[in-house]
Amino acid sequence: MEEHYYVSVDIGSSSVKTIVGEKFHNGINVIGTGQTYTSGIKNGLIDDFDLAKQAVKDTIKKASIASGVDIKEVFLKLPIVATEVYDETNEIEFYEDTELSGTHIETVLEGIRDKNDVEETEVVDTFPIRFVVDGDNEVSDPKELIARHSLKVEAGVIAIQKSILVNLIKCVESCGVDVLDVYSDAYNYGSVLTPTEKELGAVVIDIGQDLTQIAFYERGELVDADSIEMAGRDITDDVAQGLNTSFDTAEKVKHQYGHAFYNSASDQDVFTVEQIDSDEDAQFTQKDLADIIEARVEEIFFNVFDILQELGLTKVNGGFVVTGGSANLLGVRELLQDMVNEKVRIHTPSQMGIRKPEFSSAISTISSSITFDELLDYVTISNHDNEEFEEEVIESEPKEHTEKSGGFDWFKKKPNKQAHEEHVETEQNAADEHVPEEEHHPNHENDQNSDQSHEKDESKFKKLLKSLFD
């Protein structure tokens, strides 16, 4: 990368986002962004190559103008589609005392790629869980230690369908930039969690336009990840059908008046909507709209629960973290909190200029890039050591644990709407006054670090490309 700039490209189902960031002692400073909406992406994958290419090209240009950086190399985010997560080990041997460096770490991690024997898949990320020096010395970072015999790594591995990888790379590189490396959202989501959440066991739920992606972390590491093809577009489709209006109108209504928790929606907030089969507009309340939205968002969460149950996860002690564009809807946190026993929060990036949940993947890709640069010693100063988690955690009032389903401690039976409406007199004030999700606007002041270097002779991804096209 040029100097100390990191550029990430997030090809999402509704838009392509690019972020230009700088690495500082207390995190990442965003110096430029670009976003272009497109219909060329479907379910996180290329649907129309020309439309997708134009969107990528436009958003890179926007980010370049905003940041003043001539963008030539980027880090690419990959969706959790046709993705497998598993563990693997690899070991390299030495025949004399050797001081370990980032090069040795890269070599032992790269060796895992050659062990992939699943046809039509490619290993895109290998992240170390622990290193073992000379057979019995377990360490988290072996750099500068002396190894007399061997260096072994126990690592998590993320593999994706090869055609998906090749087509996404081709689309980006056809815009005149080089893809320096790729990072799966499965790995990226680790940066949206606090250390405590990652240790106790937390679920990240990213509700986008076409996909809802799920990643579970425990004991500080990624355990598994998956996705479902149900998200924001399905919510809008339901609104369009329920209100008898067009998709575009439904999308606007959803963002302006939408609420995902029926019990907190207002029946005093009235709006009019153009009808498909009539010249006269129809009136609806926010509560009418919430009745439609809640049903679909609830279904999305139940699909997430099905995945967690298939993984055998009986406890989510670290809670649930919701992000992605659809997390902007009022009531999403309240609805999920009403369905589970653990805490729930909405994650919004703290950096100035990207304080929207839909930018979580793009900024997390930069975080992943920095993590590996530090591990492999591509930068000279470690600026992440003292980084504090600046996300505001929004929690509901403590609730008594109600009936559980199937032995899963995190799930609780959701009260039905009818029971709520029978007590409408006592709950009227709460229904009339909905409180929007809190936003976090921290002061994010950083001192520029001009001593960084970002020199790579040949990235692991350049090696990957050679193996793909040889």
Side-chain angles (χ1 to χ4, degrees):
M1 296 293 294
E2 180 181 354
E3 294 299 329
H4 53 282
Y5 299 120
Y6 290 79
V7 183
S8 68
V9 175
D10 174 6
I11 300 179
S13 295
S14 63
S15 69
V16 178
K17 294 171 280 291
T18 297
I19 293 179
V20 182
E22 295 176 307
K23 177 177 178 289
F24 287 98
H25 284 283
N26 59 343
I28 302 168
N29 181 43
V30 174
I31 61 174
T33 65
Q35 183 175 16
T36 302
Y37 291 89
T38 180
S39 58
I41 311 297
K42 185 177 182 180
N43 296 325
L45 307 177
I46 306 295
D47 185 58
D48 184 310
F49 189 89
D50 289 337
L51 288 178
K53 174 184 173 181
Q54 189 60 50
V56 172
K57 188 174 182 179
D58 288 348
T59 194
I60 290 176
K61 182 178 180 180
K62 291 175 183 176
S64 179
I65 293 172
S67 64
V69 175
D70 183 15
I71 299 175
K72 298 178 180 178
E73 295 174 330
V74 302
F75 294 99
L76 175 62
K77 181 221 82 166
L78 297 179
I80 307 175
V81 178
T83 294
E84 294 293 332
V85 179
Y86 59 94
D87 293 338
E88 185 60 272
T89 62
N90 190 45
E91 186 172 7
I92 56 176
E93 296 181 348
F94 304 103
Y95 300 98
E96 59 182 1
D97 289 357
T98 303
E99 181 177 326
L100 299 175
S101 66
T103 300
H104 297 110
I105 295 174
E106 184 173 23
T107 299
V108 74
L109 287 172
E110 282 296 306
I112 291 177
R113 191 183 307 281
D114 298 330
K115 295 188 176 186
N116 178 36
D117 58 359
V118 181
E119 293 185 3
E120 298 303 319
T121 67
E122 187 68 36
V123 172
V124 291
D125 293 313
T126 56
F127 50 94
I129 298 173
R130 66 182 60 84
F131 295 94
V132 182
V133 179
D134 290 338
D136 56 8
N137 182 20
E138 291 190 2
V139 299
S140 58
D141 187 345
K143 289 195 297 292
E144 298 189 30
L145 296 179
I146 301 297
R148 305 197 67 186
H149 307 295
S150 64
L151 173 64
K152 177 181 177 181
V153 65
E154 298 175 11
V157 181
I158 301 175
I160 194 170
Q161 185 177 314
K162 189 176 293 186
S163 61
I164 294 175
L165 176 64
V166 171
N167 287 325
L168 287 171
I169 295 167
K170 180 183 177 183
C171 181
V172 174
E173 295 203 331
S174 66
C175 298
V177 297
D178 292 328
V179 175
L180 187 59
D181 216 333
V182 296
Y183 292 98
S184 169
D185 270 336
Y187 180 78
N188 291 336
Y189 290 144
S191 67
V192 311
L193 299 175
T194 67
T196 300
E197 289 169 340
K198 288 178 69 174
E199 184 64 29
L200 292 177
V203 175
V204 178
I205 305 173
D206 184 341
I207 310 176
Q209 180 74 345
D210 290 343
L211 287 177
T212 295
Q213 302 190 138
I214 308 103
F216 177 69
Y217 281 75
E218 190 174 38
R219 296 181 181 178
E221 302 297 338
L222 173 66
V223 175
D224 212 337
D226 207 338
S227 64
I228 57 175
E229 293 183 3
M230 184 185 296
R233 192 184 304 277
D234 299 279
I235 299 173
T236 305
D237 283 337
D238 290 350
V239 172
Q241 182 176 352
L243 302 187
N244 188 33
T245 191
S246 67
F247 182 90
D248 289 342
T249 299
E251 185 77 5
K252 293 176 183 177
V253 167
K254 182 182 75 172
H255 288 296
Q256 187 171 359
Y257 301 101
H259 205 295
F261 193 52
Y262 181 86
N263 293 355
S264 297
S266 170
D267 56 7
Q268 304 297 314
D269 197 352
V270 180
F271 57 92
T272 59
V273 176
E274 294 179 354
Q275 300 292 281
I276 291 178
D277 54 4
S278 173
D279 293 333
E280 296 184 4
D281 294 346
Q283 283 193 339
F284 299 93
T285 67
Q286 186 184 58
K287 213 169 191 66
D288 296 328
L289 183 58
D291 195 24
I292 300 170
I293 294 175
E294 182 188 69
R296 177 62 73 170
V297 177
E298 188 177 61
E299 184 179 0
I300 291 172
F301 287 141
F302 275 125
N303 276 271
V304 171
F305 297 161
D306 288 343
I307 290 175
L308 298 181
Q309 291 184 12
E310 289 172 5
L311 296 176
L313 300 177
T314 59
K315 295 183 179 180
V316 184
N317 294 329
F320 293 79
V321 178
V322 185
T323 193
S326 296
N328 280 313
L329 273 172
L330 295 175
V332 168
R333 182 192 62 80
E334 296 172 74
L335 175 60
L336 182 55
Q337 187 66 78
D338 199 51
M339 301 172 71
V340 300
N341 290 311
E342 283 68 26
K343 71 173 184 178
V344 176
R345 69 175 177 86
I346 303 296
H347 176 81
T348 301
S350 61
Q351 289 86 354
M352 184 73 71
I354 58 167
R355 290 174 180 166
K356 298 179 181 179
E358 56 262 39
F359 281 98
S360 291
S361 284
I363 193 64
S364 294
T365 301
I366 292 181
S367 295
S368 297
S369 307
I370 291 174
T371 296
F372 273 88
D373 273 5
E374 293 175 339
L375 176 66
L376 303 180
D377 217 13
Y378 288 141
V379 290
T380 56
I381 297 178
S382 175
N383 292 331
H384 257 11
D385 293 344
N386 298 317
E387 181 176 358
E388 296 181 359
F389 188 86
E390 297 184 335
E391 178 69 33
E392 182 172 346
V393 177
I394 306 172
E395 299 184 34
S396 66
E397 293 297 321
K399 300 183 180 182
E400 295 182 2
H401 286 202
T402 59
E403 179 182 346
K404 297 171 184 149
S405 173
F408 294 90
D409 292 345
W410 43 264
F411 180 81
K412 66 185 180 184
K413 185 176 179 181
K414 182 181 180 297
N416 60 44
K417 268 177 233 173
Q418 184 176 0
H420 166 78
E421 290 173 344
E422 289 175 354
H423 297 83
V424 68
E425 292 183 3
T426 59
E427 301 290 338
Q428 189 64 48
N429 291 337
D432 291 344
E433 298 180 7
H434 64 277
V435 181
E437 306 286 356
E438 296 180 38
E439 295 184 7
H440 182 48
H441 297 280
N443 293 325
H444 195 75
E445 298 178 359
N446 299 299
D447 296 324
Q448 183 170 356
N449 172 18
S450 60
D451 297 328
Q452 298 181 58
S453 67
H454 193 102
E455 299 177 357
K456 297 187 179 183
D457 295 330
E458 184 176 47
S459 72
K460 77 169 185 183
F461 192 68
K462 291 299 181 184
K463 297 174 184 176
L464 185 152
L465 282 178
K466 288 181 180 180
S467 69
L468 288 180
F469 296 107
D470 280 346

